[in-house]
Amino acid sequence: LCPALCTAAEAIGTATLRNRATLVGNLCNASPAADTAPVLLVLDATVCSTDREGFRRTPMANFFQGVRRTTLGREEIVTSVTLSPPEGLRTVFHKQQRIRGHDLAVVNLAGSYSPQSRQIRVAIGSCAPIPVLLPPVEVHGADRAKVVGKVLELARRALSPISDVRATSSYRWAVLEALLHRAIEELLGGGRR
């Protein structure tokens, strides 16, 4: 259904952890570096949750409230995550980490491109207190450098990467730019459906 979601899920932790973990657990942990979050953001996923008061739906774009904080109430649990990507949607996921294997992301990002609407959407993790979905970018013509420039401009307005034990802020910006070039090239060059 969505190659980028499969790629992101495979990037979480070790094989042992993945055999016990869930997509919902990755989201509810509310880490800014959660690998599945950027993909679900570009896919307009909805988090369905319930408590004694009843059932509610929360758009993924509103789910994260801060580091380790979500919109979930004290007694509320997630019952499902729903998504319905449009036909022909192309998706990608990229992650840079310090060591190969099971390290947290220095930067991760997901992108989607709809040939019908001619819009690229990008969500970025590990560069702000929550994973960030950028506004969509219209694709006119074949100048991929202009598209990358527009996305980077939006990213500079929306993100505030920190320096920590995994990377400096300037390194995160450099990695982000490289990953954006790669993702947009894949999305506009045919990408994976």
Side-chain angles (χ1 to χ4, degrees):
L1 175 66
C2 179
L5 186 56
C6 294
T7 304
E10 289 173 350
I12 299 170
T14 63
T16 304
L17 178 64
R18 286 191 303 273
N19 285 333
R20 297 187 59 139
T22 65
L23 174 103
V24 169
N26 187 242
L27 297 176
C28 291
N29 188 40
S31 167
D35 289 323
T36 58
V39 179
L40 294 171
L41 282 166
V42 299
L43 292 174
D44 287 327
T46 300
V47 176
C48 305
S49 57
T50 190
D51 63 9
R52 293 177 187 179
E53 306 298 316
F55 178 82
R56 97 181 147 110
R57 296 174 168 278
T58 306
M60 182 60 63
N62 299 336
F63 183 70
F64 300 104
Q65 298 295 298
V67 177
R68 307 238 183 257
R69 290 191 353 249
T70 68
T71 59
L72 292 174
R74 191 172 180 88
E75 295 182 5
E76 197 171 10
I77 62 167
V78 174
T79 55
S80 65
V81 176
T82 61
L83 51 106
S84 53
E87 188 69 32
L89 187 73
R90 300 173 188 169
T91 62
V92 296
F93 172 79
H94 291 292
K95 174 180 179 177
Q96 176 67 35
Q97 54 202 26
R98 293 177 303 167
I99 58 173
R100 188 179 294 266
H102 59 276
D103 200 13
L104 288 173
V106 169
V107 175
N108 60 19
L109 69 81
S112 68
Y113 173 64
S114 169
Q116 289 79 20
S117 68
R118 301 198 52 80
Q119 285 189 339
I120 281 189
R121 302 189 74 204
V122 174
I124 300 164
S126 215
C127 288
I130 62 172
V132 174
L133 176 64
L134 301 176
V137 171
E138 299 286 333
V139 176
H140 301 287
D143 191 347
R144 295 173 187 167
K146 280 187 180 179
V147 175
V148 171
K150 287 180 188 177
V151 174
L152 275 171
E153 182 182 323
L154 292 170
R156 285 188 182 101
R157 287 189 218 147
L159 303 176
S160 54
I162 62 169
S163 294
D164 62 12
V165 296
R166 287 180 287 134
T168 64
S169 175
S170 59
Y171 179 73
R172 281 189 163 97
W173 278 117
V175 168
L176 176 59
E177 186 170 347
L179 293 181
L180 276 172
H181 278 279
R182 186 181 311 160
I184 289 170
E185 184 67 33
E186 288 176 29
L187 289 169
L188 296 181
R192 295 166 66 187
R193 291 176 177 78

